[in-house]
Amino acid sequence: MTESIFLLKLEKRLLRDAQQGDQLACEKIYRLYASPAYSLARRMLTCPEHAKEATQDAFVSAFRQLSRFQGEVPFWAWLKRIVSNASIDMIRRRKPEVSLDAMSGDAHHPSEDDGAENQLLLEQLLLSLSDEDRVIVWLHDVEGYKHREIASQLGRSVSYSKTRLSRARAKLLCHADISNKENTADQHRLNPALKAT
Amino acid sequence: MKKPIPLHDPCQLRSLPGYDAPDDLWSGIQAQLSTTESLQANHRPAWLALAASVLLGIFLVNQFYLQNPAEQPYQTDQGQVADNNVTPAKTADPEYIPADSILIENQTERLLAMSQTLEDRIENYKFQNGPVSAREAIVIAELEDMIAVVDEQLGSQNADPELWYRRVTLLADLVAVYDQRRNRDYSQYVAL
């Protein structure tokens, strides 16, 4: 099982220095968690600009509250929660419609390997989901949040979270199946020899 | 052989790559953090200045009354407590002018003079083009707004000493803010 990219070990001393207001320590913590935080925001929001803004808000909020962090949960889990909350806030603040061009303009293009096509397809399918569905499916399937936690973050019921997750997964899998079938059909059309096999 | 589909991630979203954070993200965070810190640092002196200015205003007005004991609002020339309900015998005298009306007139004149002095002082400060912090600018704007409201009221009821008293207090507050700015500029100049 692949763990969340947030799961990084933070030295206690670095955390203590940052809690005492050491700017250099804060910057080191930022460097360590910047990409996982931005990735999470980007997956939830899709728009690069919004993701950047949400990540910035999250880090500012985290550094302001750092002196109050008591270590009841691992630092990465604490920070991840702040980033996901900032992203949900951004979804609530922004206009309902964000153009797909703006989202995909800076889309991540995976490297040319065996899974590249599948990844590209999955990226596109994620973009096609509604904000809430995407947030739920990502927080649950990738970040490992429980329905209870997602429901509390979104201000919804647990059953709502479960229903949306099941619908979002169905949508992703259904589209993926159709696309795979189309691809196979295309391949058969282009290469009739494949039919015989 | 096909890889088994994980139950917790049936869409295999975890296979998607992460993103690199934008290069200028840290500078934005740093700027936002430093703005908050400087605002917090400015917060206390600004309120101290405001409290000091209120005290100064009260002190100035008290000084005004202490220097003119004969003009205490509730005392007549004979040292007796003035009666607000003027007796019919006194009003019947055509040459009689109520003592409190004289006092009010004198008070207003003095408050007007103080107001003018403070205004001149503020005008002088305005010519000294030092930098104004965001908090000072807010306090100055608020005080000027309050003075404008008093001025508007004075337009309708010209000689009300209470309004003039309020105007003088507000002007004294404004002077205190400018004083603080001048002192800060001077300390920075000396530090150079």
Side-chain angles (χ1 to χ4, degrees), chain A residues 104-140:
Chain A
S104 55
D106 187 30
H108 189 91
H109 297 293
S111 58
E112 292 288 323
D113 56 27
D114 291 343
E117 264 185 44
N118 283 339
Q119 284 183 352
L120 197 59
L121 174 68
L122 206 49
E123 299 263 9
Q124 285 165 350
L125 291 175
L126 266 177
L127 285 178
S128 72
L129 293 180
S130 72
D131 284 339
E132 266 195 348
D133 286 358
R134 192 175 49 253
V135 166
I136 291 171
V137 79
W138 193 267
L139 289 182
H140 187 275

PDB file of all heavy atoms in Angstrom, chain A residues 104-140:
ATOM      1  N   SER A 104      -6.803  22.900 -16.894  1.00  0.00           N
ATOM      2  CA  SER A 104      -5.925  21.975 -17.601  1.00  0.00           C
ATOM      3  C   SER A 104      -4.763  22.681 -18.281  1.00  0.00           C
ATOM      4  O   SER A 104      -3.856  22.028 -18.765  1.00  0.00           O
ATOM      5  CB  SER A 104      -6.726  21.185 -18.622  1.00  0.00           C
ATOM      6  OG  SER A 104      -7.395  22.097 -19.463  1.00  0.00           O
ATOM      7  N   GLY A 105      -4.799  24.017 -18.294  1.00  0.00           N
ATOM      8  CA  GLY A 105      -3.746  24.780 -18.958  1.00  0.00           C
ATOM      9  C   GLY A 105      -2.368  24.420 -18.444  1.00  0.00           C
ATOM     10  O   GLY A 105      -1.402  24.343 -19.183  1.00  0.00           O
ATOM     11  N   ASP A 106      -2.287  24.203 -17.125  1.00  0.00           N
ATOM     12  CA  ASP A 106      -1.011  23.891 -16.504  1.00  0.00           C
ATOM     13  C   ASP A 106      -1.018  22.423 -16.046  1.00  0.00           C
ATOM     14  O   ASP A 106      -0.387  22.056 -15.078  1.00  0.00           O
ATOM     15  CB  ASP A 106      -0.815  24.830 -15.307  1.00  0.00           C
ATOM     16  CG  ASP A 106       0.554  24.700 -14.695  1.00  0.00           C
ATOM     17  OD1 ASP A 106       1.482  24.372 -15.433  1.00  0.00           O
ATOM     18  OD2 ASP A 106       0.663  24.907 -13.468  1.00  0.00           O
ATOM     19  N   ALA A 107      -1.781  21.630 -16.771  1.00  0.00           N
ATOM     20  CA  ALA A 107      -1.956  20.239 -16.323  1.00  0.00           C
ATOM     21  C   ALA A 107      -0.638  19.494 -16.310  1.00  0.00           C
ATOM     22  O   ALA A 107       0.252  19.757 -17.115  1.00  0.00           O
ATOM     23  CB  ALA A 107      -2.938  19.522 -17.227  1.00  0.00           C
ATOM     24  N   HIS A 108      -0.579  18.581 -15.370  1.00  0.00           N
ATOM     25  CA  HIS A 108       0.641  17.795 -15.237  1.00  0.00           C
ATOM     26  C   HIS A 108       0.676  16.765 -16.355  1.00  0.00           C
ATOM     27  O   HIS A 108      -0.269  16.025 -16.560  1.00  0.00           O
ATOM     28  CB  HIS A 108       0.621  17.103 -13.876  1.00  0.00           C
ATOM     29  CG  HIS A 108       1.899  16.443 -13.549  1.00  0.00           C
ATOM     30  ND1 HIS A 108       2.883  17.095 -12.867  1.00  0.00           N
ATOM     31  CD2 HIS A 108       2.346  15.205 -13.815  1.00  0.00           C
ATOM     32  CE1 HIS A 108       3.894  16.264 -12.708  1.00  0.00           C
ATOM     33  NE2 HIS A 108       3.585  15.109 -13.271  1.00  0.00           N
ATOM     34  N   HIS A 109       1.759  16.741 -17.086  1.00  0.00           N
ATOM     35  CA  HIS A 109       1.869  15.741 -18.143  1.00  0.00           C
ATOM     36  C   HIS A 109       2.812  14.641 -17.704  1.00  0.00           C
ATOM     37  O   HIS A 109       4.013  14.878 -17.563  1.00  0.00           O
ATOM     38  CB  HIS A 109       2.362  16.394 -19.431  1.00  0.00           C
ATOM     39  CG  HIS A 109       1.389  17.404 -19.942  1.00  0.00           C
ATOM     40  ND1 HIS A 109       0.148  17.064 -20.413  1.00  0.00           N
ATOM     41  CD2 HIS A 109       1.468  18.748 -20.004  1.00  0.00           C
ATOM     42  CE1 HIS A 109      -0.500  18.165 -20.773  1.00  0.00           C
ATOM     43  NE2 HIS A 109       0.273  19.201 -20.523  1.00  0.00           N
ATOM     44  N   PRO A 110       2.285  13.452 -17.493  1.00  0.00           N
ATOM     45  CA  PRO A 110       3.151  12.388 -17.031  1.00  0.00           C
ATOM     46  C   PRO A 110       4.179  11.992 -18.090  1.00  0.00           C
ATOM     47  O   PRO A 110       3.964  12.225 -19.274  1.00  0.00           O
ATOM     48  CB  PRO A 110       2.189  11.236 -16.755  1.00  0.00           C
ATOM     49  CG  PRO A 110       0.863  11.647 -17.214  1.00  0.00           C
ATOM     50  CD  PRO A 110       0.906  13.037 -17.686  1.00  0.00           C
ATOM     51  N   SER A 111       5.215  11.381 -17.626  1.00  0.00           N
ATOM     52  CA  SER A 111       6.281  11.007 -18.553  1.00  0.00           C
ATOM     53  C   SER A 111       5.794   9.863 -19.459  1.00  0.00           C
ATOM     54  O   SER A 111       4.836   9.168 -19.147  1.00  0.00           O
ATOM     55  CB  SER A 111       7.492  10.566 -17.755  1.00  0.00           C
ATOM     56  OG  SER A 111       7.122   9.500 -16.918  1.00  0.00           O
ATOM     57  N   GLU A 112       6.478   9.714 -20.543  1.00  0.00           N
ATOM     58  CA  GLU A 112       6.089   8.690 -21.514  1.00  0.00           C
ATOM     59  C   GLU A 112       6.488   7.300 -20.991  1.00  0.00           C
ATOM     60  O   GLU A 112       7.618   6.870 -21.171  1.00  0.00           O
ATOM     61  CB  GLU A 112       6.791   8.971 -22.860  1.00  0.00           C
ATOM     62  CG  GLU A 112       6.307  10.223 -23.568  1.00  0.00           C
ATOM     63  CD  GLU A 112       4.911  10.058 -24.142  1.00  0.00           C
ATOM     64  OE1 GLU A 112       4.580   8.955 -24.621  1.00  0.00           O
ATOM     65  OE2 GLU A 112       4.162  11.030 -24.101  1.00  0.00           O
ATOM     66  N   ASP A 113       5.612   6.632 -20.318  1.00  0.00           N
ATOM     67  CA  ASP A 113       5.889   5.268 -19.925  1.00  0.00           C
ATOM     68  C   ASP A 113       4.609   4.454 -20.106  1.00  0.00           C
ATOM     69  O   ASP A 113       3.616   4.952 -20.652  1.00  0.00           O
ATOM     70  CB  ASP A 113       6.415   5.182 -18.480  1.00  0.00           C
ATOM     71  CG  ASP A 113       5.461   5.820 -17.495  1.00  0.00           C
ATOM     72  OD1 ASP A 113       4.256   5.855 -17.778  1.00  0.00           O
ATOM     73  OD2 ASP A 113       5.923   6.282 -16.441  1.00  0.00           O
ATOM     74  N   ASP A 114       4.626   3.228 -19.632  1.00  0.00           N
ATOM     75  CA  ASP A 114       3.481   2.341 -19.857  1.00  0.00           C
ATOM     76  C   ASP A 114       2.186   2.895 -19.278  1.00  0.00           C
ATOM     77  O   ASP A 114       1.114   2.764 -19.864  1.00  0.00           O
ATOM     78  CB  ASP A 114       3.771   0.961 -19.233  1.00  0.00           C
ATOM     79  CG  ASP A 114       4.870   0.242 -19.991  1.00  0.00           C
ATOM     80  OD1 ASP A 114       5.142   0.674 -21.134  1.00  0.00           O
ATOM     81  OD2 ASP A 114       5.443  -0.711 -19.440  1.00  0.00           O
ATOM     82  N   GLY A 115       2.267   3.480 -18.081  1.00  0.00           N
ATOM     83  CA  GLY A 115       1.043   3.942 -17.426  1.00  0.00           C
ATOM     84  C   GLY A 115       0.664   5.358 -17.786  1.00  0.00           C
ATOM     85  O   GLY A 115      -0.305   5.898 -17.234  1.00  0.00           O
ATOM     86  N   ALA A 116       1.395   5.976 -18.695  1.00  0.00           N
ATOM     87  CA  ALA A 116       1.168   7.387 -18.987  1.00  0.00           C
ATOM     88  C   ALA A 116      -0.241   7.664 -19.497  1.00  0.00           C
ATOM     89  O   ALA A 116      -0.893   8.612 -19.065  1.00  0.00           O
ATOM     90  CB  ALA A 116       2.201   7.871 -19.990  1.00  0.00           C
ATOM     91  N   GLU A 117      -0.706   6.811 -20.387  1.00  0.00           N
ATOM     92  CA  GLU A 117      -2.045   7.031 -20.965  1.00  0.00           C
ATOM     93  C   GLU A 117      -3.126   6.916 -19.897  1.00  0.00           C
ATOM     94  O   GLU A 117      -4.053   7.713 -19.851  1.00  0.00           O
ATOM     95  CB  GLU A 117      -2.299   6.014 -22.073  1.00  0.00           C
ATOM     96  CG  GLU A 117      -1.994   6.564 -23.436  1.00  0.00           C
ATOM     97  CD  GLU A 117      -2.355   5.584 -24.527  1.00  0.00           C
ATOM     98  OE1 GLU A 117      -3.448   4.987 -24.447  1.00  0.00           O
ATOM     99  OE2 GLU A 117      -1.542   5.420 -25.441  1.00  0.00           O
ATOM    100  N   ASN A 118      -2.970   5.898 -19.072  1.00  0.00           N
ATOM    101  CA  ASN A 118      -3.949   5.697 -17.993  1.00  0.00           C
ATOM    102  C   ASN A 118      -3.958   6.876 -17.033  1.00  0.00           C
ATOM    103  O   ASN A 118      -5.017   7.309 -16.575  1.00  0.00           O
ATOM    104  CB  ASN A 118      -3.619   4.426 -17.208  1.00  0.00           C
ATOM    105  CG  ASN A 118      -4.041   3.192 -17.969  1.00  0.00           C
ATOM    106  OD1 ASN A 118      -4.897   3.271 -18.854  1.00  0.00           O
ATOM    107  ND2 ASN A 118      -3.424   2.074 -17.651  1.00  0.00           N
ATOM    108  N   GLN A 119      -2.784   7.371 -16.738  1.00  0.00           N
ATOM    109  CA  GLN A 119      -2.691   8.518 -15.815  1.00  0.00           C
ATOM    110  C   GLN A 119      -3.366   9.749 -16.416  1.00  0.00           C
ATOM    111  O   GLN A 119      -4.087  10.461 -15.731  1.00  0.00           O
ATOM    112  CB  GLN A 119      -1.230   8.814 -15.502  1.00  0.00           C
ATOM    113  CG  GLN A 119      -0.637   7.820 -14.529  1.00  0.00           C
ATOM    114  CD  GLN A 119       0.785   8.159 -14.155  1.00  0.00           C
ATOM    115  OE1 GLN A 119       1.395   9.055 -14.732  1.00  0.00           O
ATOM    116  NE2 GLN A 119       1.320   7.427 -13.201  1.00  0.00           N
ATOM    117  N   LEU A 120      -3.107   9.966 -17.692  1.00  0.00           N
ATOM    118  CA  LEU A 120      -3.708  11.120 -18.367  1.00  0.00           C
ATOM    119  C   LEU A 120      -5.225  11.017 -18.349  1.00  0.00           C
ATOM    120  O   LEU A 120      -5.934  11.989 -18.085  1.00  0.00           O
ATOM    121  CB  LEU A 120      -3.184  11.182 -19.818  1.00  0.00           C
ATOM    122  CG  LEU A 120      -3.366  12.512 -20.535  1.00  0.00           C
ATOM    123  CD1 LEU A 120      -2.660  13.628 -19.796  1.00  0.00           C
ATOM    124  CD2 LEU A 120      -2.865  12.422 -21.962  1.00  0.00           C
ATOM    125  N   LEU A 121      -5.705   9.807 -18.597  1.00  0.00           N
ATOM    126  CA  LEU A 121      -7.148   9.569 -18.597  1.00  0.00           C
ATOM    127  C   LEU A 121      -7.726   9.823 -17.199  1.00  0.00           C
ATOM    128  O   LEU A 121      -8.758  10.491 -17.045  1.00  0.00           O
ATOM    129  CB  LEU A 121      -7.425   8.124 -19.029  1.00  0.00           C
ATOM    130  CG  LEU A 121      -8.881   7.661 -18.950  1.00  0.00           C
ATOM    131  CD1 LEU A 121      -9.725   8.392 -19.976  1.00  0.00           C
ATOM    132  CD2 LEU A 121      -8.979   6.160 -19.172  1.00  0.00           C
ATOM    133  N   LEU A 122      -7.022   9.321 -16.208  1.00  0.00           N
ATOM    134  CA  LEU A 122      -7.476   9.488 -14.829  1.00  0.00           C
ATOM    135  C   LEU A 122      -7.498  10.977 -14.429  1.00  0.00           C
ATOM    136  O   LEU A 122      -8.423  11.440 -13.759  1.00  0.00           O
ATOM    137  CB  LEU A 122      -6.527   8.708 -13.905  1.00  0.00           C
ATOM    138  CG  LEU A 122      -7.092   8.225 -12.579  1.00  0.00           C
ATOM    139  CD1 LEU A 122      -8.414   7.502 -12.735  1.00  0.00           C
ATOM    140  CD2 LEU A 122      -6.079   7.315 -11.882  1.00  0.00           C
ATOM    141  N   GLU A 123      -6.487  11.693 -14.893  1.00  0.00           N
ATOM    142  CA  GLU A 123      -6.438  13.144 -14.628  1.00  0.00           C
ATOM    143  C   GLU A 123      -7.681  13.817 -15.208  1.00  0.00           C
ATOM    144  O   GLU A 123      -8.319  14.643 -14.562  1.00  0.00           O
ATOM    145  CB  GLU A 123      -5.207  13.781 -15.293  1.00  0.00           C
ATOM    146  CG  GLU A 123      -3.868  13.260 -14.827  1.00  0.00           C
ATOM    147  CD  GLU A 123      -3.223  14.114 -13.763  1.00  0.00           C
ATOM    148  OE1 GLU A 123      -3.903  15.026 -13.259  1.00  0.00           O
ATOM    149  OE2 GLU A 123      -2.056  13.848 -13.431  1.00  0.00           O
ATOM    150  N   GLN A 124      -8.005  13.428 -16.444  1.00  0.00           N
ATOM    151  CA  GLN A 124      -9.156  14.049 -17.120  1.00  0.00           C
ATOM    152  C   GLN A 124     -10.464  13.679 -16.427  1.00  0.00           C
ATOM    153  O   GLN A 124     -11.363  14.494 -16.304  1.00  0.00           O
ATOM    154  CB  GLN A 124      -9.184  13.627 -18.591  1.00  0.00           C
ATOM    155  CG  GLN A 124      -8.121  14.336 -19.406  1.00  0.00           C
ATOM    156  CD  GLN A 124      -7.875  13.684 -20.756  1.00  0.00           C
ATOM    157  OE1 GLN A 124      -8.365  12.593 -21.023  1.00  0.00           O
ATOM    158  NE2 GLN A 124      -7.093  14.361 -21.589  1.00  0.00           N
ATOM    159  N   LEU A 125     -10.525  12.427 -15.975  1.00  0.00           N
ATOM    160  CA  LEU A 125     -11.741  11.982 -15.285  1.00  0.00           C
ATOM    161  C   LEU A 125     -11.919  12.718 -13.961  1.00  0.00           C
ATOM    162  O   LEU A 125     -13.026  13.104 -13.598  1.00  0.00           O
ATOM    163  CB  LEU A 125     -11.696  10.473 -15.038  1.00  0.00           C
ATOM    164  CG  LEU A 125     -11.797   9.591 -16.277  1.00  0.00           C
ATOM    165  CD1 LEU A 125     -11.617   8.130 -15.904  1.00  0.00           C
ATOM    166  CD2 LEU A 125     -13.143   9.780 -16.964  1.00  0.00           C
ATOM    167  N   LEU A 126     -10.817  12.939 -13.289  1.00  0.00           N
ATOM    168  CA  LEU A 126     -10.881  13.688 -12.023  1.00  0.00           C
ATOM    169  C   LEU A 126     -11.400  15.099 -12.258  1.00  0.00           C
ATOM    170  O   LEU A 126     -12.184  15.635 -11.478  1.00  0.00           O
ATOM    171  CB  LEU A 126      -9.495  13.778 -11.390  1.00  0.00           C
ATOM    172  CG  LEU A 126      -9.113  12.724 -10.369  1.00  0.00           C
ATOM    173  CD1 LEU A 126      -7.681  12.940  -9.909  1.00  0.00           C
ATOM    174  CD2 LEU A 126     -10.035  12.756  -9.152  1.00  0.00           C
ATOM    175  N   LEU A 127     -10.942  15.704 -13.359  1.00  0.00           N
ATOM    176  CA  LEU A 127     -11.394  17.058 -13.699  1.00  0.00           C
ATOM    177  C   LEU A 127     -12.891  17.095 -13.978  1.00  0.00           C
ATOM    178  O   LEU A 127     -13.541  18.116 -13.765  1.00  0.00           O
ATOM    179  CB  LEU A 127     -10.644  17.574 -14.924  1.00  0.00           C
ATOM    180  CG  LEU A 127      -9.198  18.025 -14.751  1.00  0.00           C
ATOM    181  CD1 LEU A 127      -8.612  18.442 -16.079  1.00  0.00           C
ATOM    182  CD2 LEU A 127      -9.120  19.193 -13.782  1.00  0.00           C
ATOM    183  N   SER A 128     -13.412  15.967 -14.460  1.00  0.00           N
ATOM    184  CA  SER A 128     -14.834  15.949 -14.818  1.00  0.00           C
ATOM    185  C   SER A 128     -15.744  15.827 -13.595  1.00  0.00           C
ATOM    186  O   SER A 128     -16.946  16.052 -13.692  1.00  0.00           O
ATOM    187  CB  SER A 128     -15.118  14.800 -15.791  1.00  0.00           C
ATOM    188  OG  SER A 128     -15.041  13.572 -15.103  1.00  0.00           O
ATOM    189  N   LEU A 129     -15.161  15.454 -12.449  1.00  0.00           N
ATOM    190  CA  LEU A 129     -15.990  15.317 -11.238  1.00  0.00           C
ATOM    191  C   LEU A 129     -16.338  16.689 -10.661  1.00  0.00           C
ATOM    192  O   LEU A 129     -15.613  17.668 -10.881  1.00  0.00           O
ATOM    193  CB  LEU A 129     -15.227  14.517 -10.169  1.00  0.00           C
ATOM    194  CG  LEU A 129     -14.936  13.045 -10.446  1.00  0.00           C
ATOM    195  CD1 LEU A 129     -14.182  12.446  -9.258  1.00  0.00           C
ATOM    196  CD2 LEU A 129     -16.207  12.257 -10.687  1.00  0.00           C
ATOM    197  N   SER A 130     -17.415  16.728  -9.879  1.00  0.00           N
ATOM    198  CA  SER A 130     -17.748  17.984  -9.195  1.00  0.00           C
ATOM    199  C   SER A 130     -16.728  18.200  -8.080  1.00  0.00           C
ATOM    200  O   SER A 130     -16.042  17.249  -7.660  1.00  0.00           O
ATOM    201  CB  SER A 130     -19.147  17.907  -8.602  1.00  0.00           C
ATOM    202  OG  SER A 130     -19.136  17.046  -7.491  1.00  0.00           O
ATOM    203  N   ASP A 131     -16.637  19.451  -7.583  1.00  0.00           N
ATOM    204  CA  ASP A 131     -15.652  19.778  -6.540  1.00  0.00           C
ATOM    205  C   ASP A 131     -15.776  18.845  -5.341  1.00  0.00           C
ATOM    206  O   ASP A 131     -14.789  18.297  -4.855  1.00  0.00           O
ATOM    207  CB  ASP A 131     -15.843  21.222  -6.073  1.00  0.00           C
ATOM    208  CG  ASP A 131     -15.286  22.217  -7.076  1.00  0.00           C
ATOM    209  OD1 ASP A 131     -14.438  21.811  -7.892  1.00  0.00           O
ATOM    210  OD2 ASP A 131     -15.696  23.391  -7.044  1.00  0.00           O
ATOM    211  N   GLU A 132     -17.004  18.671  -4.872  1.00  0.00           N
ATOM    212  CA  GLU A 132     -17.201  17.854  -3.663  1.00  0.00           C
ATOM    213  C   GLU A 132     -16.844  16.397  -3.897  1.00  0.00           C
ATOM    214  O   GLU A 132     -16.199  15.774  -3.060  1.00  0.00           O
ATOM    215  CB  GLU A 132     -18.650  17.967  -3.183  1.00  0.00           C
ATOM    216  CG  GLU A 132     -18.801  19.043  -2.144  1.00  0.00           C
ATOM    217  CD  GLU A 132     -20.109  18.961  -1.383  1.00  0.00           C
ATOM    218  OE1 GLU A 132     -21.008  18.207  -1.790  1.00  0.00           O
ATOM    219  OE2 GLU A 132     -20.226  19.681  -0.383  1.00  0.00           O
ATOM    220  N   ASP A 133     -17.257  15.867  -5.053  1.00  0.00           N
ATOM    221  CA  ASP A 133     -16.957  14.458  -5.352  1.00  0.00           C
ATOM    222  C   ASP A 133     -15.449  14.234  -5.427  1.00  0.00           C
ATOM    223  O   ASP A 133     -14.929  13.248  -4.909  1.00  0.00           O
ATOM    224  CB  ASP A 133     -17.610  14.040  -6.682  1.00  0.00           C
ATOM    225  CG  ASP A 133     -19.106  13.870  -6.529  1.00  0.00           C
ATOM    226  OD1 ASP A 133     -19.596  14.046  -5.395  1.00  0.00           O
ATOM    227  OD2 ASP A 133     -19.790  13.579  -7.522  1.00  0.00           O
ATOM    228  N   ARG A 134     -14.783  15.173  -6.076  1.00  0.00           N
ATOM    229  CA  ARG A 134     -13.327  15.036  -6.219  1.00  0.00           C
ATOM    230  C   ARG A 134     -12.646  15.082  -4.848  1.00  0.00           C
ATOM    231  O   ARG A 134     -11.759  14.299  -4.549  1.00  0.00           O
ATOM    232  CB  ARG A 134     -12.794  16.146  -7.124  1.00  0.00           C
ATOM    233  CG  ARG A 134     -11.366  15.932  -7.565  1.00  0.00           C
ATOM    234  CD  ARG A 134     -10.908  16.968  -8.559  1.00  0.00           C
ATOM    235  NE  ARG A 134     -11.229  18.310  -8.099  1.00  0.00           N
ATOM    236  CZ  ARG A 134     -12.175  19.080  -8.599  1.00  0.00           C
ATOM    237  NH1 ARG A 134     -12.913  18.655  -9.594  1.00  0.00           N
ATOM    238  NH2 ARG A 134     -12.408  20.283  -8.110  1.00  0.00           N
ATOM    239  N   VAL A 135     -13.099  16.049  -4.012  1.00  0.00           N
ATOM    240  CA  VAL A 135     -12.515  16.185  -2.676  1.00  0.00           C
ATOM    241  C   VAL A 135     -12.738  14.903  -1.880  1.00  0.00           C
ATOM    242  O   VAL A 135     -11.812  14.381  -1.251  1.00  0.00           O
ATOM    243  CB  VAL A 135     -13.145  17.406  -1.944  1.00  0.00           C
ATOM    244  CG1 VAL A 135     -12.830  17.374  -0.459  1.00  0.00           C
ATOM    245  CG2 VAL A 135     -12.636  18.698  -2.552  1.00  0.00           C
ATOM    246  N   ILE A 136     -13.952  14.375  -1.928  1.00  0.00           N
ATOM    247  CA  ILE A 136     -14.270  13.177  -1.136  1.00  0.00           C
ATOM    248  C   ILE A 136     -13.456  11.978  -1.611  1.00  0.00           C
ATOM    249  O   ILE A 136     -12.837  11.278  -0.805  1.00  0.00           O
ATOM    250  CB  ILE A 136     -15.787  12.887  -1.189  1.00  0.00           C
ATOM    251  CG1 ILE A 136     -16.547  13.978  -0.411  1.00  0.00           C
ATOM    252  CG2 ILE A 136     -16.105  11.511  -0.602  1.00  0.00           C
ATOM    253  CD1 ILE A 136     -18.046  13.948  -0.566  1.00  0.00           C
ATOM    254  N   VAL A 137     -13.433  11.774  -2.909  1.00  0.00           N
ATOM    255  CA  VAL A 137     -12.735  10.593  -3.415  1.00  0.00           C
ATOM    256  C   VAL A 137     -11.225  10.699  -3.150  1.00  0.00           C
ATOM    257  O   VAL A 137     -10.566   9.721  -2.804  1.00  0.00           O
ATOM    258  CB  VAL A 137     -13.065  10.342  -4.920  1.00  0.00           C
ATOM    259  CG1 VAL A 137     -12.295  11.248  -5.837  1.00  0.00           C
ATOM    260  CG2 VAL A 137     -12.801   8.902  -5.290  1.00  0.00           C
ATOM    261  N   TRP A 138     -10.709  11.905  -3.247  1.00  0.00           N
ATOM    262  CA  TRP A 138      -9.269  12.072  -3.023  1.00  0.00           C
ATOM    263  C   TRP A 138      -8.924  11.906  -1.544  1.00  0.00           C
ATOM    264  O   TRP A 138      -7.978  11.187  -1.196  1.00  0.00           O
ATOM    265  CB  TRP A 138      -8.788  13.439  -3.540  1.00  0.00           C
ATOM    266  CG  TRP A 138      -7.286  13.472  -3.608  1.00  0.00           C
ATOM    267  CD1 TRP A 138      -6.429  13.912  -2.641  1.00  0.00           C
ATOM    268  CD2 TRP A 138      -6.458  12.991  -4.677  1.00  0.00           C
ATOM    269  NE1 TRP A 138      -5.132  13.739  -3.033  1.00  0.00           N
ATOM    270  CE2 TRP A 138      -5.122  13.177  -4.281  1.00  0.00           C
ATOM    271  CE3 TRP A 138      -6.724  12.419  -5.928  1.00  0.00           C
ATOM    272  CZ2 TRP A 138      -4.036  12.819  -5.095  1.00  0.00           C
ATOM    273  CZ3 TRP A 138      -5.640  12.072  -6.737  1.00  0.00           C
ATOM    274  CH2 TRP A 138      -4.321  12.272  -6.314  1.00  0.00           C
ATOM    275  N   LEU A 139      -9.683  12.572  -0.688  1.00  0.00           N
ATOM    276  CA  LEU A 139      -9.383  12.493   0.748  1.00  0.00           C
ATOM    277  C   LEU A 139      -9.544  11.059   1.262  1.00  0.00           C
ATOM    278  O   LEU A 139      -8.771  10.604   2.093  1.00  0.00           O
ATOM    279  CB  LEU A 139     -10.271  13.450   1.549  1.00  0.00           C
ATOM    280  CG  LEU A 139      -9.984  14.937   1.397  1.00  0.00           C
ATOM    281  CD1 LEU A 139     -10.925  15.750   2.283  1.00  0.00           C
ATOM    282  CD2 LEU A 139      -8.542  15.281   1.744  1.00  0.00           C
ATOM    283  N   HIS A 140     -10.538  10.350   0.734  1.00  0.00           N
ATOM    284  CA  HIS A 140     -10.781   8.989   1.224  1.00  0.00           C
ATOM    285  C   HIS A 140      -9.796   7.980   0.624  1.00  0.00           C
ATOM    286  O   HIS A 140      -9.116   7.257   1.352  1.00  0.00           O
ATOM    287  CB  HIS A 140     -12.220   8.571   0.886  1.00  0.00           C
ATOM    288  CG  HIS A 140     -12.598   7.265   1.503  1.00  0.00           C
ATOM    289  ND1 HIS A 140     -12.307   6.061   0.921  1.00  0.00           N
ATOM    290  CD2 HIS A 140     -13.207   6.972   2.678  1.00  0.00           C
ATOM    291  CE1 HIS A 140     -12.723   5.072   1.693  1.00  0.00           C
ATOM    292  NE2 HIS A 140     -13.277   5.598   2.770  1.00  0.00           N
TER     293      HIS A 140
END
